[in-house]
Amino acid sequence: MAIKSQVSEGGELLTISIDGRFDASSLDEFRKSYEDTDPSEIQRYVVDLEDTIHLDSSALGMLLVLRDFAGGDQANITISNCSPEVRKIFAISSFEQLFTIE
């Protein structure tokens, strides 16, 4: 499992890419991927799940913590490259009301 984060050249977009399992073992690494940034400068967040092979309920919790960090209801977070199975989990969990799912 590896989590990479990258701030765009202009500094307004943070992309977090998750490779492998996204579960409780990802907690520290996921938190670190965004806590080193200044949420007042980041305007958009993208969580890229293209290389994610598993996602559990703890990952859903981590996404909610990111949402709070990014401004709560004002947060602009897109979860991209979801597999059909992951998209179904987000639909069942009503995450589509909290995040933009692509």
Side-chain angles (χ1 to χ4, degrees):
M1 186 260 323
I3 297 178
K4 298 176 186 164
S5 61
Q6 181 175 5
V7 177
S8 67
E9 192 169 311
E12 70 277 351
L13 170 65
L14 174 66
T15 302
I16 302 170
S17 303
I18 300 162
D19 185 0
R21 299 179 65 85
F22 189 21
D23 57 20
S25 67
S26 310
L27 178 61
D28 291 337
E29 197 173 353
F30 183 72
R31 185 182 310 143
K32 187 175 180 176
S33 71
Y34 61 85
E35 281 189 342
D36 292 339
T37 64
D38 182 352
S40 66
E41 294 182 11
I42 304 294
Q43 303 300 312
R44 284 188 39 215
Y45 295 80
V46 173
V47 179
D48 185 352
L49 300 181
E50 182 174 14
D51 296 318
T52 304
I53 59 172
H54 174 78
L55 180 142
D56 69 6
S57 59
S58 63
L60 299 179
M62 286 184 264
L63 290 169
L64 292 174
V65 172
L66 170 63
R67 184 174 182 270
D68 286 343
F69 176 84
D73 291 342
Q74 308 304 316
N76 183 350
I77 302 175
T78 299
I79 302 172
S80 66
N81 297 312
C82 299
S83 68
E85 295 81 18
V86 169
R87 186 178 289 271
K88 187 175 179 181
I89 291 169
F90 287 143
I92 291 169
S93 306
S94 299
F95 267 48
E96 293 170 328
Q97 297 173 13
L98 304 174
F99 300 93
T100 302
I101 311 290
E102 294 179 342

